[in-house]
Amino acid sequence: SKSLKYLNLRRCDGVTDAGLIAIIKNCPNIERLNVCRLHKLTDSSVVFVAETLGTKLVRFPTFYALSYTGAS
């Protein structure tokens, strides 16, 4: 939805990089996005969100969302 401003995905274990990227592509006006504890996400999707939404994001907690490989 183009009007979606807030999305809380915390602990939604089924969310993957592809899913998060699809959400961001279809909801470009998100200002608050919570992806805490989404263990299937890697650095690349989190970087995509930050680069795509940039300064629109007021809040973007990623606690435990980033991969531990250091790959991006």
Side-chain angles (χ1 to χ4, degrees):
S1 167
K2 304 288 184 204
S3 63
L4 184 67
K5 299 277 187 189
Y6 174 72
L7 183 60
N8 184 354
L9 295 172
R10 183 177 183 182
R11 294 186 185 223
C12 292
D13 296 329
V15 177
T16 62
D17 285 337
L20 182 59
I21 289 169
I23 289 168
I24 297 309
K25 285 181 176 179
N26 289 289
C27 304
N29 295 313
I30 289 178
E31 295 174 357
R32 293 175 181 253
L33 176 64
N34 187 342
V35 295
C36 290
R37 300 189 186 266
L38 298 185
H39 300 289
K40 292 182 180 177
L41 296 185
T42 66
D43 297 350
S44 61
S45 64
V46 175
V47 168
F48 175 83
V49 170
E51 289 178 347
T52 303
L53 297 179
T55 57
K56 285 192 231 177
L57 281 177
V58 174
R59 183 168 163 82
F60 185 40
T62 58
F63 184 69
Y64 284 90
L66 300 176
S67 69
Y68 296 103
T69 63
S72 48

Short mmCIF file of all heavy atoms in Angstrom, two decimals:
data_model
loop_
_atom_site.label_atom_id
_atom_site.label_comp_id
_atom_site.label_asym_id
_atom_site.label_seq_id
_atom_site.Cartn_x
_atom_site.Cartn_y
_atom_site.Cartn_z
N SER A 1 0.82 -1.18 0.00
CA SER A 1 0.00 0.00 0.00
C SER A 1 0.87 1.25 0.00
O SER A 1 1.79 1.36 0.80
CB SER A 1 -0.90 -0.01 1.22
OG SER A 1 -1.51 1.23 1.41
N LYS A 2 0.57 2.16 -0.85
CA LYS A 2 1.34 3.40 -0.94
C LYS A 2 1.15 4.26 0.30
O LYS A 2 1.95 5.12 0.59
CB LYS A 2 0.94 4.19 -2.17
CG LYS A 2 1.08 3.42 -3.46
CD LYS A 2 2.51 3.21 -3.85
CE LYS A 2 2.58 2.51 -5.19
NZ LYS A 2 3.76 1.80 -5.44
N SER A 3 0.07 4.03 1.06
CA SER A 3 -0.21 4.87 2.24
C SER A 3 0.35 4.28 3.54
O SER A 3 0.29 4.94 4.56
CB SER A 3 -1.71 5.09 2.36
OG SER A 3 -2.37 3.86 2.57
N LEU A 4 0.88 3.08 3.49
CA LEU A 4 1.40 2.44 4.71
C LEU A 4 2.60 3.23 5.24
O LEU A 4 3.56 3.48 4.52
CB LEU A 4 1.82 1.00 4.42
CG LEU A 4 2.29 0.19 5.61
CD1 LEU A 4 1.14 -0.05 6.59
CD2 LEU A 4 2.85 -1.14 5.15
N LYS A 5 2.54 3.61 6.51
CA LYS A 5 3.61 4.39 7.14
C LYS A 5 4.35 3.60 8.22
O LYS A 5 5.50 3.89 8.50
CB LYS A 5 3.03 5.65 7.79
CG LYS A 5 2.35 6.59 6.84
CD LYS A 5 3.33 7.47 6.18
CE LYS A 5 2.61 8.53 5.36
NZ LYS A 5 3.49 9.28 4.55
N TYR A 6 3.68 2.64 8.84
CA TYR A 6 4.26 1.89 9.95
C TYR A 6 4.05 0.40 9.75
O TYR A 6 2.94 -0.03 9.44
CB TYR A 6 3.63 2.33 11.27
CG TYR A 6 4.09 1.51 12.45
CD1 TYR A 6 5.38 1.64 12.95
CD2 TYR A 6 3.24 0.59 13.05
CE1 TYR A 6 5.81 0.89 14.02
CE2 TYR A 6 3.68 -0.17 14.12
CZ TYR A 6 4.96 -0.02 14.61
OH TYR A 6 5.39 -0.77 15.66
N LEU A 7 5.12 -0.37 9.91
CA LEU A 7 5.01 -1.82 9.79
C LEU A 7 5.89 -2.47 10.84
O LEU A 7 7.09 -2.21 10.91
CB LEU A 7 5.45 -2.26 8.39
CG LEU A 7 5.34 -3.75 8.09
CD1 LEU A 7 3.89 -4.23 8.22
CD2 LEU A 7 5.87 -4.06 6.70
N ASN A 8 5.28 -3.29 11.65
CA ASN A 8 5.99 -4.01 12.70
C ASN A 8 6.08 -5.48 12.31
O ASN A 8 5.09 -6.19 12.37
CB ASN A 8 5.28 -3.85 14.04
CG ASN A 8 6.04 -4.48 15.18
OD1 ASN A 8 7.06 -5.13 14.97
ND2 ASN A 8 5.55 -4.29 16.38
N LEU A 9 7.27 -5.91 11.92
CA LEU A 9 7.49 -7.31 11.54
C LEU A 9 8.26 -8.08 12.61
O LEU A 9 8.69 -9.19 12.37
CB LEU A 9 8.28 -7.36 10.22
CG LEU A 9 7.56 -6.79 9.00
CD1 LEU A 9 8.51 -6.72 7.82
CD2 LEU A 9 6.34 -7.62 8.68
N ARG A 10 8.42 -7.48 13.77
CA ARG A 10 9.20 -8.11 14.83
C ARG A 10 8.74 -9.54 15.08
O ARG A 10 7.55 -9.81 15.23
CB ARG A 10 9.06 -7.30 16.12
CG ARG A 10 9.91 -7.87 17.20
CD ARG A 10 9.85 -7.06 18.45
NE ARG A 10 10.78 -7.67 19.40
CZ ARG A 10 10.97 -7.26 20.59
NH1 ARG A 10 10.32 -6.22 21.05
NH2 ARG A 10 11.82 -7.87 21.37
N ARG A 11 9.71 -10.43 15.09
CA ARG A 11 9.51 -11.86 15.35
C ARG A 11 8.61 -12.57 14.34
O ARG A 11 8.06 -13.62 14.63
CB ARG A 11 9.00 -12.08 16.77
CG ARG A 11 10.00 -11.68 17.81
CD ARG A 11 9.52 -12.03 19.18
NE ARG A 11 10.46 -11.53 20.16
CZ ARG A 11 10.86 -12.20 21.21
NH1 ARG A 11 10.40 -13.40 21.44
NH2 ARG A 11 11.70 -11.67 22.05
N CYS A 12 8.45 -12.01 13.17
CA CYS A 12 7.72 -12.69 12.09
C CYS A 12 8.73 -13.60 11.39
O CYS A 12 9.38 -13.20 10.43
CB CYS A 12 7.11 -11.69 11.12
SG CYS A 12 5.80 -10.70 11.82
N ASP A 13 8.86 -14.79 11.90
CA ASP A 13 9.95 -15.69 11.50
C ASP A 13 9.96 -16.06 10.02
O ASP A 13 10.98 -16.49 9.51
CB ASP A 13 9.91 -16.96 12.34
CG ASP A 13 10.17 -16.68 13.81
OD1 ASP A 13 10.92 -15.73 14.12
OD2 ASP A 13 9.62 -17.41 14.65
N GLY A 14 8.85 -15.93 9.33
CA GLY A 14 8.80 -16.31 7.93
C GLY A 14 9.31 -15.26 6.96
O GLY A 14 9.43 -15.52 5.77
N VAL A 15 9.62 -14.07 7.45
CA VAL A 15 10.05 -12.98 6.57
C VAL A 15 11.49 -13.22 6.12
O VAL A 15 12.39 -13.41 6.93
CB VAL A 15 9.92 -11.61 7.26
CG1 VAL A 15 10.44 -10.51 6.35
CG2 VAL A 15 8.48 -11.34 7.64
N THR A 16 11.69 -13.21 4.81
CA THR A 16 13.01 -13.42 4.21
C THR A 16 13.47 -12.13 3.54
O THR A 16 12.72 -11.16 3.46
CB THR A 16 12.96 -14.53 3.15
OG1 THR A 16 12.07 -14.09 2.11
CG2 THR A 16 12.48 -15.85 3.73
N ASP A 17 14.69 -12.15 3.02
CA ASP A 17 15.20 -11.00 2.27
C ASP A 17 14.25 -10.64 1.13
O ASP A 17 13.90 -9.48 0.95
CB ASP A 17 16.58 -11.31 1.68
CG ASP A 17 17.68 -11.27 2.71
OD1 ASP A 17 17.53 -10.62 3.76
OD2 ASP A 17 18.73 -11.89 2.45
N ALA A 18 13.85 -11.64 0.36
CA ALA A 18 12.97 -11.39 -0.80
C ALA A 18 11.65 -10.78 -0.36
O ALA A 18 11.13 -9.87 -1.01
CB ALA A 18 12.72 -12.69 -1.56
N GLY A 19 11.11 -11.26 0.74
CA GLY A 19 9.85 -10.72 1.25
C GLY A 19 9.98 -9.28 1.70
O GLY A 19 9.13 -8.45 1.40
N LEU A 20 11.04 -8.98 2.44
CA LEU A 20 11.24 -7.62 2.92
C LEU A 20 11.47 -6.66 1.75
O LEU A 20 10.91 -5.56 1.71
CB LEU A 20 12.42 -7.55 3.89
CG LEU A 20 12.69 -6.18 4.49
CD1 LEU A 20 11.47 -5.66 5.25
CD2 LEU A 20 13.92 -6.23 5.38
N ILE A 21 12.24 -7.08 0.79
CA ILE A 21 12.50 -6.24 -0.39
C ILE A 21 11.20 -5.98 -1.16
O ILE A 21 10.93 -4.86 -1.58
CB ILE A 21 13.59 -6.86 -1.27
CG1 ILE A 21 14.94 -6.74 -0.55
CG2 ILE A 21 13.64 -6.21 -2.65
CD1 ILE A 21 16.06 -7.53 -1.17
N ALA A 22 10.36 -7.01 -1.30
CA ALA A 22 9.07 -6.83 -1.98
C ALA A 22 8.17 -5.86 -1.22
O ALA A 22 7.51 -5.01 -1.84
CB ALA A 22 8.37 -8.19 -2.13
N ILE A 23 8.18 -5.94 0.09
CA ILE A 23 7.39 -5.00 0.90
C ILE A 23 7.84 -3.57 0.65
O ILE A 23 7.03 -2.68 0.42
CB ILE A 23 7.49 -5.36 2.40
CG1 ILE A 23 6.72 -6.66 2.69
CG2 ILE A 23 6.97 -4.22 3.27
CD1 ILE A 23 6.99 -7.24 4.06
N ILE A 24 9.15 -3.35 0.70
CA ILE A 24 9.68 -2.00 0.53
C ILE A 24 9.41 -1.46 -0.87
O ILE A 24 9.07 -0.29 -1.03
CB ILE A 24 11.19 -1.98 0.85
CG1 ILE A 24 11.43 -2.36 2.31
CG2 ILE A 24 11.80 -0.61 0.54
CD1 ILE A 24 10.59 -1.60 3.32
N LYS A 25 9.51 -2.31 -1.87
CA LYS A 25 9.23 -1.87 -3.24
C LYS A 25 7.77 -1.46 -3.41
O LYS A 25 7.46 -0.58 -4.20
CB LYS A 25 9.58 -2.96 -4.24
CG LYS A 25 11.07 -3.12 -4.44
CD LYS A 25 11.36 -4.20 -5.46
CE LYS A 25 12.85 -4.30 -5.74
NZ LYS A 25 13.15 -5.38 -6.72
N ASN A 26 6.88 -2.11 -2.68
CA ASN A 26 5.45 -1.84 -2.82
C ASN A 26 4.90 -0.86 -1.79
O ASN A 26 3.74 -0.44 -1.90
CB ASN A 26 4.67 -3.16 -2.75
CG ASN A 26 4.89 -3.98 -4.00
OD1 ASN A 26 4.41 -3.62 -5.06
ND2 ASN A 26 5.65 -5.05 -3.89
N CYS A 27 5.70 -0.53 -0.80
CA CYS A 27 5.28 0.40 0.26
C CYS A 27 6.37 1.45 0.44
O CYS A 27 7.06 1.47 1.46
CB CYS A 27 5.04 -0.35 1.57
SG CYS A 27 3.83 -1.68 1.43
N PRO A 28 6.54 2.33 -0.52
CA PRO A 28 7.67 3.26 -0.52
C PRO A 28 7.58 4.40 0.48
O PRO A 28 8.52 5.17 0.62
CB PRO A 28 7.65 3.82 -1.95
CG PRO A 28 6.21 3.76 -2.34
CD PRO A 28 5.70 2.49 -1.70
N ASN A 29 6.46 4.51 1.20
CA ASN A 29 6.30 5.62 2.14
C ASN A 29 6.42 5.21 3.60
O ASN A 29 6.05 5.97 4.49
CB ASN A 29 4.95 6.31 1.89
CG ASN A 29 4.93 6.96 0.53
OD1 ASN A 29 5.87 7.66 0.15
ND2 ASN A 29 3.89 6.72 -0.23
N ILE A 30 6.94 4.04 3.84
CA ILE A 30 7.13 3.58 5.22
C ILE A 30 8.11 4.51 5.93
O ILE A 30 9.17 4.84 5.41
CB ILE A 30 7.64 2.13 5.26
CG1 ILE A 30 6.52 1.18 4.82
CG2 ILE A 30 8.14 1.75 6.64
CD1 ILE A 30 6.92 -0.27 4.78
N GLU A 31 7.72 4.91 7.13
CA GLU A 31 8.57 5.74 7.97
C GLU A 31 9.08 5.00 9.20
O GLU A 31 10.09 5.37 9.76
CB GLU A 31 7.79 6.99 8.43
CG GLU A 31 7.40 7.89 7.28
CD GLU A 31 6.51 9.03 7.73
OE1 GLU A 31 6.14 9.10 8.92
OE2 GLU A 31 6.18 9.86 6.87
N ARG A 32 8.34 4.01 9.61
CA ARG A 32 8.73 3.22 10.78
C ARG A 32 8.64 1.74 10.40
O ARG A 32 7.58 1.26 10.00
CB ARG A 32 7.81 3.51 11.97
CG ARG A 32 7.95 4.91 12.50
CD ARG A 32 6.93 5.18 13.58
NE ARG A 32 7.08 6.53 14.06
CZ ARG A 32 7.60 6.84 15.24
NH1 ARG A 32 8.00 5.90 16.05
NH2 ARG A 32 7.70 8.10 15.60
N LEU A 33 9.74 1.05 10.55
CA LEU A 33 9.82 -0.35 10.16
C LEU A 33 10.59 -1.10 11.24
O LEU A 33 11.75 -0.80 11.51
CB LEU A 33 10.53 -0.49 8.82
CG LEU A 33 10.78 -1.90 8.31
CD1 LEU A 33 9.44 -2.61 8.05
CD2 LEU A 33 11.62 -1.86 7.04
N ASN A 34 9.95 -2.07 11.86
CA ASN A 34 10.59 -2.85 12.90
C ASN A 34 10.88 -4.24 12.36
O ASN A 34 9.96 -5.00 12.04
CB ASN A 34 9.69 -2.94 14.13
CG ASN A 34 10.36 -3.60 15.31
OD1 ASN A 34 11.36 -4.29 15.16
ND2 ASN A 34 9.81 -3.40 16.49
N VAL A 35 12.16 -4.58 12.23
CA VAL A 35 12.57 -5.90 11.77
C VAL A 35 13.40 -6.63 12.84
O VAL A 35 14.20 -7.49 12.52
CB VAL A 35 13.33 -5.85 10.43
CG1 VAL A 35 12.42 -5.36 9.32
CG2 VAL A 35 14.57 -4.98 10.53
N CYS A 36 13.16 -6.29 14.08
CA CYS A 36 13.89 -6.94 15.18
C CYS A 36 13.61 -8.44 15.21
O CYS A 36 12.48 -8.87 15.02
CB CYS A 36 13.49 -6.35 16.52
SG CYS A 36 14.07 -4.68 16.77
N ARG A 37 14.66 -9.18 15.43
CA ARG A 37 14.59 -10.64 15.62
C ARG A 37 14.06 -11.40 14.39
O ARG A 37 13.37 -12.39 14.52
CB ARG A 37 13.81 -10.97 16.87
CG ARG A 37 14.45 -10.38 18.11
CD ARG A 37 13.80 -10.88 19.37
NE ARG A 37 14.34 -10.20 20.51
CZ ARG A 37 15.35 -10.65 21.24
NH1 ARG A 37 15.93 -11.78 20.95
NH2 ARG A 37 15.79 -9.97 22.28
N LEU A 38 14.39 -10.90 13.21
CA LEU A 38 14.07 -11.62 11.99
C LEU A 38 15.34 -12.33 11.54
O LEU A 38 16.16 -11.76 10.83
CB LEU A 38 13.55 -10.68 10.90
CG LEU A 38 12.27 -9.93 11.21
CD1 LEU A 38 11.82 -9.12 10.01
CD2 LEU A 38 11.18 -10.86 11.66
N HIS A 39 15.50 -13.53 11.96
CA HIS A 39 16.76 -14.25 11.79
C HIS A 39 17.04 -14.69 10.35
O HIS A 39 18.15 -15.08 10.05
CB HIS A 39 16.80 -15.45 12.74
CG HIS A 39 16.70 -15.03 14.17
ND1 HIS A 39 17.72 -14.37 14.83
CD2 HIS A 39 15.69 -15.12 15.06
CE1 HIS A 39 17.37 -14.11 16.06
NE2 HIS A 39 16.13 -14.55 16.23
N LYS A 40 16.05 -14.63 9.48
CA LYS A 40 16.28 -15.02 8.08
C LYS A 40 16.81 -13.87 7.22
O LYS A 40 17.17 -14.09 6.08
CB LYS A 40 15.00 -15.58 7.47
CG LYS A 40 14.59 -16.91 8.08
CD LYS A 40 13.35 -17.45 7.41
CE LYS A 40 12.97 -18.76 8.04
NZ LYS A 40 11.72 -19.29 7.46
N LEU A 41 16.81 -12.67 7.77
CA LEU A 41 17.30 -11.53 7.00
C LEU A 41 18.82 -11.51 7.00
O LEU A 41 19.45 -11.91 7.96
CB LEU A 41 16.80 -10.22 7.59
CG LEU A 41 15.32 -9.96 7.58
CD1 LEU A 41 15.03 -8.56 8.08
CD2 LEU A 41 14.72 -10.18 6.20
N THR A 42 19.36 -11.03 5.90
CA THR A 42 20.81 -10.85 5.82
C THR A 42 21.09 -9.35 5.70
O THR A 42 20.18 -8.54 5.54
CB THR A 42 21.41 -11.58 4.60
OG1 THR A 42 20.92 -10.98 3.41
CG2 THR A 42 21.09 -13.08 4.63
N ASP A 43 22.35 -9.02 5.74
CA ASP A 43 22.76 -7.63 5.63
C ASP A 43 22.23 -6.98 4.35
O ASP A 43 21.87 -5.81 4.35
CB ASP A 43 24.28 -7.51 5.64
CG ASP A 43 24.92 -8.00 6.92
OD1 ASP A 43 24.18 -8.27 7.89
OD2 ASP A 43 26.14 -8.13 6.96
N SER A 44 22.18 -7.75 3.27
CA SER A 44 21.81 -7.16 1.98
C SER A 44 20.40 -6.59 1.98
O SER A 44 20.18 -5.51 1.41
CB SER A 44 21.99 -8.17 0.84
OG SER A 44 21.16 -9.28 1.04
N SER A 45 19.44 -7.25 2.60
CA SER A 45 18.08 -6.70 2.61
C SER A 45 17.98 -5.49 3.53
O SER A 45 17.26 -4.53 3.23
CB SER A 45 17.05 -7.76 3.00
OG SER A 45 17.25 -8.20 4.32
N VAL A 46 18.70 -5.51 4.63
CA VAL A 46 18.68 -4.37 5.55
C VAL A 46 19.32 -3.16 4.88
O VAL A 46 18.82 -2.04 4.98
CB VAL A 46 19.35 -4.73 6.88
CG1 VAL A 46 19.45 -3.53 7.79
CG2 VAL A 46 18.59 -5.86 7.57
N VAL A 47 20.40 -3.37 4.15
CA VAL A 47 21.05 -2.29 3.42
C VAL A 47 20.11 -1.77 2.33
O VAL A 47 19.99 -0.56 2.12
CB VAL A 47 22.40 -2.75 2.82
CG1 VAL A 47 22.94 -1.75 1.82
CG2 VAL A 47 23.40 -3.00 3.94
N PHE A 48 19.41 -2.67 1.64
CA PHE A 48 18.45 -2.27 0.61
C PHE A 48 17.39 -1.34 1.20
O PHE A 48 17.06 -0.31 0.62
CB PHE A 48 17.78 -3.49 -0.01
CG PHE A 48 16.70 -3.13 -1.00
CD1 PHE A 48 17.03 -2.83 -2.30
CD2 PHE A 48 15.37 -3.08 -0.62
CE1 PHE A 48 16.04 -2.47 -3.22
CE2 PHE A 48 14.38 -2.72 -1.51
CZ PHE A 48 14.71 -2.42 -2.82
N VAL A 49 16.86 -1.70 2.37
CA VAL A 49 15.85 -0.87 3.02
C VAL A 49 16.42 0.51 3.32
O VAL A 49 15.81 1.53 3.01
CB VAL A 49 15.34 -1.53 4.32
CG1 VAL A 49 14.48 -0.56 5.13
CG2 VAL A 49 14.58 -2.80 4.02
N ALA A 50 17.60 0.54 3.92
CA ALA A 50 18.22 1.81 4.29
C ALA A 50 18.50 2.68 3.06
O ALA A 50 18.25 3.89 3.07
CB ALA A 50 19.49 1.56 5.07
N GLU A 51 18.99 2.07 2.00
CA GLU A 51 19.30 2.83 0.79
C GLU A 51 18.04 3.28 0.06
O GLU A 51 18.01 4.37 -0.51
CB GLU A 51 20.17 1.99 -0.15
CG GLU A 51 21.57 1.80 0.36
CD GLU A 51 22.43 0.92 -0.54
OE1 GLU A 51 21.89 0.24 -1.44
OE2 GLU A 51 23.64 0.91 -0.30
N THR A 52 17.01 2.47 0.08
CA THR A 52 15.78 2.79 -0.65
C THR A 52 14.94 3.84 0.07
O THR A 52 14.46 4.79 -0.53
CB THR A 52 14.94 1.52 -0.89
OG1 THR A 52 15.74 0.58 -1.59
CG2 THR A 52 13.69 1.82 -1.68
N LEU A 53 14.76 3.65 1.36
CA LEU A 53 13.92 4.57 2.12
C LEU A 53 14.71 5.74 2.69
O LEU A 53 14.16 6.81 2.91
CB LEU A 53 13.19 3.82 3.24
CG LEU A 53 12.22 2.74 2.78
CD1 LEU A 53 11.59 2.05 3.97
CD2 LEU A 53 11.16 3.31 1.86
N GLY A 54 15.99 5.52 2.92
CA GLY A 54 16.87 6.58 3.37
C GLY A 54 16.34 7.43 4.50
O GLY A 54 15.91 6.92 5.53
N THR A 55 16.31 8.72 4.29
CA THR A 55 15.94 9.65 5.34
C THR A 55 14.45 9.64 5.66
O THR A 55 14.03 10.27 6.62
CB THR A 55 16.36 11.08 4.98
OG1 THR A 55 15.76 11.44 3.74
CG2 THR A 55 17.88 11.19 4.86
N LYS A 56 13.65 8.93 4.88
CA LYS A 56 12.23 8.79 5.21
C LYS A 56 12.05 8.00 6.50
O LYS A 56 11.07 8.18 7.20
CB LYS A 56 11.47 8.06 4.10
CG LYS A 56 11.21 8.87 2.88
CD LYS A 56 10.22 8.12 2.02
CE LYS A 56 10.74 8.02 0.61
NZ LYS A 56 9.88 7.24 -0.24
N LEU A 57 13.00 7.10 6.77
CA LEU A 57 12.87 6.26 7.95
C LEU A 57 13.13 7.06 9.21
O LEU A 57 14.21 7.61 9.40
CB LEU A 57 13.87 5.09 7.90
CG LEU A 57 13.49 3.92 7.03
CD1 LEU A 57 14.60 2.89 7.03
CD2 LEU A 57 12.20 3.28 7.47
N VAL A 58 12.14 7.10 10.07
CA VAL A 58 12.27 7.75 11.35
C VAL A 58 12.79 6.74 12.37
O VAL A 58 13.56 7.05 13.25
CB VAL A 58 10.90 8.31 11.81
CG1 VAL A 58 10.97 8.88 13.21
CG2 VAL A 58 10.41 9.35 10.82
N ARG A 59 12.34 5.52 12.22
CA ARG A 59 12.72 4.46 13.15
C ARG A 59 12.95 3.18 12.36
O ARG A 59 12.11 2.77 11.57
CB ARG A 59 11.61 4.27 14.18
CG ARG A 59 11.90 3.25 15.23
CD ARG A 59 10.86 3.34 16.36
NE ARG A 59 10.85 2.16 17.17
CZ ARG A 59 11.71 1.92 18.16
NH1 ARG A 59 12.63 2.78 18.44
NH2 ARG A 59 11.63 0.81 18.86
N PHE A 60 14.08 2.52 12.61
CA PHE A 60 14.43 1.31 11.88
C PHE A 60 15.24 0.37 12.77
O PHE A 60 16.41 0.15 12.55
CB PHE A 60 15.21 1.68 10.62
CG PHE A 60 15.53 0.52 9.71
CD1 PHE A 60 14.62 -0.48 9.47
CD2 PHE A 60 16.76 0.47 9.08
CE1 PHE A 60 14.92 -1.54 8.62
CE2 PHE A 60 17.09 -0.57 8.23
CZ PHE A 60 16.16 -1.58 8.00
N PRO A 61 14.61 -0.18 13.83
CA PRO A 61 15.35 -1.09 14.70
C PRO A 61 15.64 -2.41 13.98
O PRO A 61 14.77 -2.99 13.35
CB PRO A 61 14.41 -1.30 15.89
CG PRO A 61 13.06 -0.96 15.39
CD PRO A 61 13.24 0.02 14.28
N THR A 62 16.87 -2.85 14.08
CA THR A 62 17.29 -4.09 13.41
C THR A 62 17.93 -5.08 14.37
O THR A 62 18.64 -5.98 13.94
CB THR A 62 18.29 -3.78 12.28
OG1 THR A 62 19.41 -3.11 12.86
CG2 THR A 62 17.66 -2.93 11.20
N PHE A 63 17.73 -4.93 15.65
CA PHE A 63 18.32 -5.80 16.66
C PHE A 63 18.13 -7.26 16.30
O PHE A 63 17.01 -7.72 16.12
CB PHE A 63 17.69 -5.48 18.02
CG PHE A 63 18.28 -6.23 19.16
CD1 PHE A 63 19.57 -5.97 19.58
CD2 PHE A 63 17.54 -7.20 19.81
CE1 PHE A 63 20.12 -6.65 20.65
CE2 PHE A 63 18.09 -7.89 20.87
CZ PHE A 63 19.37 -7.62 21.30
N TYR A 64 19.20 -7.98 16.17
CA TYR A 64 19.21 -9.40 15.80
C TYR A 64 18.76 -9.67 14.37
O TYR A 64 18.56 -10.80 13.98
CB TYR A 64 18.34 -10.25 16.74
CG TYR A 64 18.95 -10.53 18.07
CD1 TYR A 64 18.74 -9.67 19.13
CD2 TYR A 64 19.77 -11.63 18.28
CE1 TYR A 64 19.30 -9.91 20.37
CE2 TYR A 64 20.33 -11.87 19.50
CZ TYR A 64 20.10 -11.02 20.55
OH TYR A 64 20.65 -11.27 21.77
N ALA A 65 18.59 -8.66 13.55
CA ALA A 65 18.16 -8.89 12.18
C ALA A 65 19.34 -9.11 11.25
O ALA A 65 19.21 -9.77 10.25
CB ALA A 65 17.33 -7.73 11.67
N LEU A 66 20.47 -8.56 11.58
CA LEU A 66 21.62 -8.66 10.69
C LEU A 66 22.29 -10.02 10.80
O LEU A 66 22.35 -10.61 11.86
CB LEU A 66 22.64 -7.56 11.01
CG LEU A 66 22.12 -6.14 10.86
CD1 LEU A 66 23.19 -5.16 11.30
CD2 LEU A 66 21.70 -5.86 9.44
N SER A 67 22.81 -10.48 9.70
CA SER A 67 23.50 -11.76 9.70
C SER A 67 24.82 -11.59 10.45
O SER A 67 25.33 -10.50 10.61
CB SER A 67 23.78 -12.22 8.28
OG SER A 67 24.75 -11.38 7.68
N TYR A 68 25.36 -12.67 10.87
CA TYR A 68 26.61 -12.64 11.61
C TYR A 68 27.80 -12.96 10.73
O TYR A 68 28.90 -13.13 11.19
CB TYR A 68 26.53 -13.62 12.79
CG TYR A 68 25.49 -13.20 13.77
CD1 TYR A 68 24.26 -13.84 13.81
CD2 TYR A 68 25.70 -12.13 14.62
CE1 TYR A 68 23.28 -13.44 14.68
CE2 TYR A 68 24.73 -11.72 15.51
CZ TYR A 68 23.52 -12.38 15.54
OH TYR A 68 22.55 -11.96 16.40
N THR A 69 27.58 -13.00 9.42
CA THR A 69 28.66 -13.32 8.50
C THR A 69 29.48 -12.09 8.15
O THR A 69 30.60 -12.21 7.68
CB THR A 69 28.11 -13.90 7.19
OG1 THR A 69 27.31 -12.91 6.56
CG2 THR A 69 27.30 -15.15 7.43
N GLY A 70 28.88 -10.94 8.35
CA GLY A 70 29.55 -9.70 7.98
C GLY A 70 29.45 -9.42 6.49
O GLY A 70 29.92 -8.42 5.99
N ALA A 71 28.81 -10.30 5.74
CA ALA A 71 28.65 -10.13 4.31
C ALA A 71 27.58 -9.08 4.04
O ALA A 71 26.60 -9.01 4.75
CB ALA A 71 28.26 -11.46 3.65
N SER A 72 27.81 -8.29 3.02
CA SER A 72 26.78 -7.33 2.65
C SER A 72 26.70 -7.20 1.15
O SER A 72 27.50 -7.70 0.44
CB SER A 72 27.01 -5.98 3.29
OG SER A 72 28.33 -5.55 3.14
#
